[in-house]
Amino acid sequence: MTQPFRLPTAGRLDAAGTVSFIFDGKPHTGLAGDTLASALLANGVHLVGRSFKYHRPRGILSAGAEEPNALVGIHRDPARKTPNVRATVQELYDGLAAVSQNRWPSLAFDVGALNDLGAPFFSAGFYYKTFMWPRAAWERLYEPVIRRAAGLGTAPDQPDPDRYSNRFAHCDVLVVGGGAAGLAAALAASEAGARVILADEQAEPGGSLRFEAGAVIDGMPGWEWAQRTAAQLAARDNVRLLTRTTGFGYYAQNMLGLVERLTDHLAAPHPEAPRERLWQVRAKRVVLATGAIERHMVFPDNDRPGIMLASAARTYLNHFGVAVGRRVAVYTADDSAYAAAIDLKKKGVEIAALVDLRPAPQGAHVEEARGLGIEVLAGHAVTGTEGRLRVRRIDVAPVNGGAPRQIEVDALVTSSGWTPAVHLFSQSRGKLAFNEATQRFLPGQYVQDAVSVGAGNGTTGLGEAVAEALQAGEKAAKEAGVSKARAKVPNLEAGSTERWSSGMAGAAPGAEAGKKAMAFVDFQNDVTAKDIRQAVQEGMRSIEHVKRFTTTGMATDQGKTSNLHALTIASEMLGKPIPEVGLTTFRPPYTPVTFGALVGHGRGALFEPTRRTPIHTWAEAHGAVFEDVGQWKRAWYFPSGGEDMHAAVARECRTVRQSAGIFDASTLGKIEVVGPDAARFMELMYTNPWQKLAVGRCRYGIMLREDGFIYDDGVVGRLAEDRFHVTTTTGGAPRVLHHMEDYLQTEFPDLKVWLTSTSEQWATIAVQGPKSRDIVAPLVEDIDLSDEAMPHMSVREGRVCGVPARLFRISFTGERGFEINVPADYGLSVWEAVWAEGGKHGACAYGTETMHVLRAEKGFIIVGQDTDGTVTPDDAGLGWAIGRKKKDFVGIRGLKRPDLTAPGRRQLVGLKTSDPKTVLEEGAQIVADPNQPVPMKMIGFVTSSYWSENCGRSIALALVENGSHRMGERLHVPMPDGAVEVEVVPTVFFDEKGERTNG
């Protein structure tokens, strides 16, 4: 299989690296390093798809991410079908299978092309005007049909089997764009000593140097300089070079989102390798070297396959070695298109004519073109094209009148100038400024710590762009706090190519010639110049309204090649300067991003990370049954000798009360609150008073939301005047830390306090029961465990088993208890030592179910189980935990709301069933009269319910309306087998006086 349009004397690819691929079922060959677009063009394939609305034949327009036409489906296997892939970005690999989209039954013969005949009826605003009546028909008739017709490709019908990954990174300088300017900025910043990340969307850095064959930098061809510089940067310890990586979003505080394509270019990627990686980068300084995007010319029938941008033709020629045609015409309003004509001519491609809309173009490039025998038609316009599936002829006429002529061609390349790619700058909330001289929007007022360089900043000369970037890179490093040395400035020799200019946006003269011909502004959404004019005529004055009325700029390419055209046409119609008309808003992502890249790294077993305590392996080896608590695996119960759950829990409960139990409490959230204002901060965050809490003592603390409802609880120990050890519920640790940080940074920024999560630092071993001190004492050094020296609610620092430890005397069971906190690395060995001592006293290991039963026997609440987000401390019987003399804390104003102090609120109470053996269902509703008509009035619900082996009966906690005033009252709980009568009792079922806590 030959590649008829591959030129042996052009390009940088190795002719020996032949690969095979399939497009629409037909086999082709390409070269390693090709994109799908370049390989198709090498085989003479220009027709690649159909347009969205009119199903017009469409070809390859560009050579990069701005491509609006060449969207294809890539099929690796039945489960890996990716629609709407830009052929200009998709790298070729052996065996690649691609299909065209939005056509039936075939690309060459598409029934949907009938829409093109009805184009006069489908003009701007068609949907808004047509489908408004009759109103009832929308959901039944219009919407289903429109939804079936929407989109271009076919969505996958199977779950995505690919893997994705996510990385966070910090750097001094992030450079987005790996062209000449981006490489120079990264070089300067890295030589100054900064930690640099350079991201570029191409497989190889170089940017426009891919097509600027005459560029010379530092005494060598520009492309060679780019590859050498990239290799130097990649070899440096302080530089991370990310190729195939697109900066798609610029967010607050210099955080940017990048997507790295890892395996889409490989024929047989490793099955475990991630397909894409999401980078979330926080940079001290950002350098935007995003380049510029060439615009097409707007003229009748400018969308035929074979019509493309001049820079694309140069890229396919100079980098890929592909001629876009044998007889090519050039149509331009800009200097840069001359380079395309000259490059093609020098490689043996016939240039049928160079049509320049400008009346008198001047410069060396014009003379060079004429010197090569290229006919330059100044002051002429292309007024139409012909060719069904590929352009075969263009109509040319003088702008000021004169005889038209027809020119036979098989390709037409166009350029109306360049638009700086200011998308990321705009996303950073920077303000754009309109440059009257060049008629372009350029970066103006910066909001974040960023700078734009090169073509993205409106700098057109290569020499000026590199010099500007070097200065910006060095300055960025200095502003980031690092500056080691001055970067070496590359020398730019006279051979550098600098032919960029702003050109002319808008529709060319003759754009509306003929009733049937359409001059397209936005190719992907089939928006014409006539549509833009019609929108203005029908009252659209804001460019945002014009955008939505016509859908220009709303496709997946976000109008990269069309926005300025639409804006210019609208401004002409309105008779206003372009800045007064405004510019549409650029929003992330810059180019489409897969859902897999954004969230796919958390799938299957990774959907929620599994966290295990240091003691997990011991529990597993001793037969523990585990339950999921938040992200943690926690031992639920320890069956022995064929016990079921109920028998195991009953045994564990008895053992704890009679002897002792050992419990892994490592999952408790732990937060270190440190600083001169730590006590003041605690006073504000908790309802309790903390200023006078003595060092070495503990207190149970209640944390509220602003509305006055319980948010979390836990025991807090004061380790020093300026240090508190805060514990939280297992599931509440992240949100409590976030809650504290939020208030510290926004409401109390004057306080000198530092918050550190230490949940994983400490392994926590709870020893509870009458024999707990006997078990712990032999292992403890330097701490007096007597009741006088270490009473209940105390904390001491010392050593346990020779390991630095924090020892708390606290209890969640109502028994004498100790909680040993040791560094996590020593958690298992200390647990085994405690277990060995416990065996001497008949202790058992117990799990979370036993913990729940024991705490319920004492009426201790669990936030999130016995509270539902609408419970106040008074509702939960914890009013004593509110400092009555405190003037301020989070939630104090919420507690004063009338609704939170009104009678009849649901309050926490205990329930005893008439039949002691009946265990209520958690969540079951409570009614006063089971015989009342349906719907019954529910006055509360059961929050916790267990069989208590120590009480010899079932016990339950419940939230009941006006519960504290219902003591002794008989209520009913509807259950599947009938209503169960219950008595309202206090919440404490065991050791009502609390004597066992002190032994």
Side-chain angles (χ1 to χ4, degrees), residues 204-451:
E204 299 169 293
S208 65
L209 297 175
R210 289 203 306 166
F211 62 78
E212 289 286 7
V216 177
I217 303 177
D218 208 17
M220 66 184 71
W223 180 257
E224 183 181 330
W225 172 86
Q227 303 317 302
R228 188 195 68 172
T229 303
Q232 289 176 348
L233 290 170
R236 294 182 176 179
D237 292 338
N238 62 328
V239 177
R240 186 190 297 273
L241 178 62
L242 298 175
T243 56
R244 300 187 177 92
T245 304
T246 301
F248 67 84
Y250 198 141
Y251 304 96
Q253 298 169 332
N254 261 24
M255 200 277 276
L256 282 87
L258 317 175
V259 167
E260 181 182 10
R261 303 183 302 278
L262 298 172
T263 61
D264 281 352
H265 62 290
L266 302 177
H270 190 283
E272 298 298 315
R275 178 183 176 185
E276 294 177 318
R277 178 179 292 126
L278 173 67
W279 289 86
Q280 298 178 64
V281 180
R282 186 83 67 182
K284 292 181 180 178
R285 294 293 183 274
V286 175
V287 178
L288 298 175
T290 49
I293 299 170
E294 193 171 24
R295 302 186 302 271
H296 60 280
M297 294 291 286
V298 180
F299 57 93
D301 290 330
N302 61 336
D303 66 327
R304 298 191 192 280
I307 302 176
M308 66 177 60
L309 297 173
S311 60
R314 295 185 72 194
T315 300
Y316 294 124
L317 177 72
N318 295 329
H319 186 75
F320 297 105
V322 173
V324 297
R326 292 190 173 90
R327 180 176 167 83
V328 180
V330 178
Y331 182 31
T332 185
D334 175 55
D335 292 344
S336 61
Y338 281 80
I342 292 168
D343 287 353
L344 287 166
K345 182 70 174 180
K346 287 182 176 179
K347 294 299 181 181
V349 176
E350 181 182 357
I351 304 300
L354 196 161
V355 183
D356 196 328
L357 189 62
R358 299 170 297 179
Q362 309 237 336
H365 51 283
V366 179
E367 298 308 317
E368 184 180 1
R370 285 177 172 148
L372 290 171
I374 298 173
E375 182 182 13
V376 177
L377 300 176
H380 282 61
V382 174
T383 59
T385 67
E386 292 186 23
R388 190 175 76 87
L389 300 180
R390 179 173 176 179
V391 64
R392 61 181 179 84
R393 189 172 68 199
I394 62 173
D395 298 326
V396 179
V399 173
N400 295 325
R405 58 186 283 195
Q406 294 182 329
I407 302 174
E408 300 292 327
V409 300
D410 63 355
L412 173 65
V413 301
T414 75
S415 175
S416 70
W418 296 79
T419 303
V422 294
H423 300 68
L424 290 179
F425 170 81
S426 181
Q427 290 174 21
S428 75
R429 293 176 290 119
K431 303 300 181 184
L432 293 168
F434 188 73
N435 186 291
E436 287 289 346
T438 60
Q439 294 289 291
R440 291 178 296 187
F441 282 98
L442 302 176
Q445 180 182 348
Y446 289 87
V447 174
Q448 302 201 49
D449 294 322
V451 63

Side-chain angles (χ1 to χ4, degrees), residues 3 18 138 311 509 725 812 913 957 984:
Q3 301 169 47
T18 303
W138 171 255
S311 60
H725 178 112
F812 198 45
T913 57
L957 298 175
V984 180

Side-chain angles (χ1 to χ4, degrees), residues 155-214:
D157 56 3
Q158 296 187 33
D160 184 0
D162 288 312
R163 304 166 71 96
Y164 301 84
S165 67
N166 179 44
R167 291 284 297 275
F168 293 88
H170 291 77
C171 63
D172 296 317
V173 180
L174 169 63
V175 181
V176 182
L183 289 167
L187 188 66
S190 64
E191 288 188 356
R195 293 175 299 125
V196 177
I197 294 177
L198 172 61
D200 186 70
E201 63 186 359
Q202 299 290 344
E204 299 169 293
S208 65
L209 297 175
R210 289 203 306 166
F211 62 78
E212 289 286 7

Side-chain angles (χ1 to χ4, degrees), residues 667-670 711-714 727-736 862-864:
T667 63
L668 285 175
K670 308 170 196 74
Y711 189 64
D712 202 78
D713 70 342
T727 64
T728 75
T729 55
T730 293
R735 58 181 170 83
V736 170
I862 292 182
V863 173

